[in-house]
Amino acid sequence: MDIGFIGLGEMGSAMVGNLLKAGHTVRVWNRTAAKAQALADAGARIVGTPGEAFAGDAVVSMLADDAALREVIDATLLDHAPQGLVHVNMATISVALAEALAHAHAGHGLHYVAAPVLGRPDAAQAAKLTIMAAGATEAIDRVQPLFDVIGQKTWRVGAVPQQANVMKLAANFMLAAAVESLGEAAALLDGYGVAMRDFLDVVTGGPFPGPVYAGYGGMIAQRRYEPALFKARLGLKDVRLALAAADAAATPMPLASVLRDSLLEAVAHGDGERDFAVLGKVAARRAGRG
Ligand code: NAP
């Protein structure tokens, strides 16, 4: 397929690498053009404007956040896009912006598919992302071959794009809750001289198996917050988006408010670029053992 790709950060670069390996033609645009060079060496064509990426069989965007999308995907861009083009937005953005983008695309005769992902850059590189796709069935059908190349499984979660965004935000809220609970448990154990490593062996071998408890728990046990596979700054963004979605649906999420403050504390102490596991450091500091 002839694909445009907008946003070559940690996630986008890894996804484009896999699309190229699968033989697709990829036109890439990134605000910082230098980041596209390695992909150009692997066969991608660098284009000078987002508009040049917004063409072909489909365009995928993987930008940081709402502000980036608002800056790049404007009315002029949509005006000049070929009728019937499918735009797949895979970034984690607000429910409100997803709804507005779906509306704006329909008004320009374009298809909008929301397809946020579960999995960090290492999973993106290994083509092991879990994709939650929502939008018109025929539009998703057209981009399914791309999903098959970058992900291990695509879940079709609704006909209304923002349903996929709500699902992604709910999942990241749960992830934040799990990491916060690991951090607080580690601080409690430390207060009694119990090694977090020993505790993890017990709970991951029993009621709490899986990559979240073992992975983030292991980082917290070692007080290791780098490499930052999922930055605390991005985690804070996602919890804020969950709170905004909850607010709009009159849904109290008191735990999400606690998570927002813990992540904000991490950012305030200069740890925003560190891994989400830095919530363990926040809990230790609160216990006077930071
Ligand atoms: P990243 O490495 O920080 O990359 C962000 C991308 O957005 C870069 O291409 C950056 O361009 C671009 N960007 C930022 N602000 C912009 C603006 N105002 N105008 C134009 N471009 C702008 O982030 P990432 O880790 O790839 O994450 C991308 C998305 O995937 C986010 O929505 C994130 O929440 C989501 N996600 C991330 C993970 C993860 O573990 N990292 C997992 C699942 C989902 P420059 O290169 O010019 O800065």
Side-chain angles (χ1 to χ4, degrees):
M1 286 173 72
D2 175 11
I3 309 153
F5 203 105
I6 294 176
L8 303 175
E10 302 272 354
M11 297 292 287
S13 297
M15 292 154 80
V16 170
N18 286 325
L19 291 170
L20 290 169
K21 272 188 226 154
H24 293 290
T25 300
V26 193
R27 284 162 289 102
V28 295
W29 179 84
N30 196 54
R31 178 181 61 177
T32 309
K35 282 195 200 164
Q37 197 48 55
L39 291 168
D41 295 342
R45 207 183 107 214
I46 300 176
V47 294
T49 64
E52 289 169 82
F54 234 76
D57 297 315
V59 57
V60 180
S61 55
M62 195 53 165
L63 292 164
D65 53 18
D66 280 27
L69 268 144
R70 284 210 175 87
E71 216 169 300
V72 174
I73 315 290
D74 60 12
T76 318
L77 183 82
L78 299 185
D79 273 343
H80 290 90
Q83 289 287 297
L85 180 70
V86 182
H87 173 201
V88 186
N89 181 23
M90 305 192 76
T92 308
I93 60 162
S94 71
V95 171
L97 181 59
E99 193 174 355
L101 283 171
H103 186 70
H105 281 63
H108 284 81
L110 307 169
H111 298 284
Y112 181 79
V113 172
V117 299
L118 296 176
R120 298 179 300 190
D122 52 342
Q125 256 160 26
K128 291 258 160 61
L129 294 171
T130 294
I131 300 168
M132 296 158 285
T137 303
E138 60 274 25
I140 300 178
D141 285 346
R142 276 164 58 189
V143 292
Q144 185 66 52
L146 307 183
F147 293 158
D148 293 342
V149 166
I150 56 187
Q152 63 179 354
K153 180 157 176 82
T154 304
W155 295 86
R156 297 191 180 207
V157 301
V160 179
Q162 59 268 29
Q163 289 174 324
N165 299 92
V166 180
M167 196 178 269
K168 167 68 186 172
L169 295 178
N172 273 24
F173 157 70
M174 286 178 62
L175 174 63
V179 181
E180 170 78 16
S181 71
L182 283 162
E184 291 186 23
L188 171 65
L189 294 162
D190 193 42
Y192 287 87
V194 179
M196 177 66 172
R197 190 62 264 167
D198 295 343
F199 168 76
L200 282 177
D201 288 344
V202 173
V203 295
T204 60
F208 296 103
V212 171
Y213 289 104
Y216 288 101
M219 289 181 83
I220 289 171
Q222 293 171 38
R223 300 191 175 213
R224 177 170 62 79
Y225 313 116
E226 264 131 13
L229 292 178
F230 186 7
K231 293 174 185 150
R233 165 176 63 79
L234 289 178
L236 174 59
K237 176 201 74 162
D238 294 354
V239 170
R240 282 176 167 151
L241 293 178
L243 279 165
D247 200 30
T251 305
M253 291 181 75
L255 180 52
S257 299
V258 170
L259 300 172
R260 189 257 327 273
D261 280 345
S262 292
L263 285 161
L264 196 54
E265 186 173 329
V267 170
H269 282 265
D271 289 330
E273 297 304 313
R274 293 204 158 129
D275 193 86
F276 220 160
V278 84
L279 284 174
K281 185 176 170 190
V282 171
R285 185 171 50 234
R286 287 173 178 164
R289 291 186 288 272

